Amino acid sequence: HDPQSPKCKPGSRLPDAPLYLDNIQLIQKVVEDLKEDLGFLLIANCKPLHCRRTLPIVYEDPADCEPGDLIFFEELSDDGGPSGRIVHVEIFLGGASGSQSIGSMAWNAHSRTGDKDGVQVFDDYRISRENGKSGLRFHCHSISSWLLSEESSFAHGLLVRAKLEKGS
């Protein structure tokens, strides 16, 4: 990671970290580490919105999410309506509470980080916006379309054929 990056907030411990993963990079790293089991990769410059477009199965009730599904956070417009702006993504875990997630946030992004940087398990994926900012809407998407697909690379809302090199 780049210690000069704006992702390294003042007071951050990230400049000393061997690896920094923002929220979408965490998803990419998990998929990359499991590529042999999953049979696909996400493109390197995948954005949360692009990733969301490749997952057509949406759960209206987050209780229907299964571990591994993705939760996309949409910032609401000033009037409280949808903005279409996806600002964050996490992996649903469920856990004992039924609402645990794993994600990556800067230490000062939200009080739920407990002043810790980077990847961590959160007791509840539901977060409220702080400091008077607009609210958030949660979109839970099943990853089953990825798991059941014959494709091996997912990019920009389209399925793109690509050959995985064994052992890479």
Side-chain angles (χ1 to χ4, degrees), residues 2-167:
D2 177 7
Q4 303 306 315
S5 167
K7 293 177 183 173
C8 292
K9 307 288 185 194
S12 173
R13 290 166 297 286
L14 293 176
D16 300 326
L19 177 66
Y20 173 77
L21 300 172
D22 68 15
N23 61 92
I24 191 64
Q25 290 169 333
L26 171 62
I27 308 300
Q28 291 169 314
K29 181 68 172 150
V30 168
V31 170
E32 180 183 340
D33 288 352
L34 295 172
K35 71 182 175 187
E36 293 300 319
D37 297 309
L38 297 174
F40 63 87
L41 288 170
L42 297 176
I43 62 165
N45 62 349
C46 185
K47 303 287 185 218
L49 182 59
H50 301 140
C51 191
R52 181 178 177 219
R53 288 180 181 154
T54 67
L55 298 170
I57 301 170
V58 180
Y59 297 121
E60 294 300 321
D61 184 352
D64 294 331
C65 279
E66 295 182 25
D69 287 342
L70 300 183
I71 303 167
F72 295 89
F73 297 67
E74 177 186 11
E75 185 174 57
L76 298 178
S77 63
D78 291 338
D79 65 3
S83 71
R85 185 168 178 253
I86 301 299
V87 295
H88 189 67
V89 60
E90 293 184 2
I91 302 169
F92 180 78
L93 296 177
S97 69
S99 58
Q100 283 184 331
S101 64
I102 186 168
S104 182
M105 299 179 91
W107 70 274
N108 61 353
H110 195 274
S111 61
R112 77 180 185 141
T113 65
D115 292 333
K116 296 177 188 170
D117 276 321
V119 178
Q120 56 189 304
V121 173
F122 297 107
D123 290 332
D124 195 332
Y125 68 85
R126 295 170 291 222
I127 61 174
S128 59
R129 291 295 279 208
E130 296 178 340
N131 304 325
K133 294 182 180 177
S134 301
L136 294 171
R137 180 176 174 203
F138 309 105
H139 302 276
C140 301
H141 288 253
S142 170
I143 63 166
S144 63
S145 57
W146 285 353
L147 299 175
L148 299 174
S149 176
E150 298 285 325
E151 302 298 329
S152 58
S153 178
F154 296 87
H156 299 287
L158 302 173
L159 299 176
V160 179
R161 284 226 175 262
K163 181 125 174 122
L164 280 175
E165 295 179 23
K166 290 289 183 188

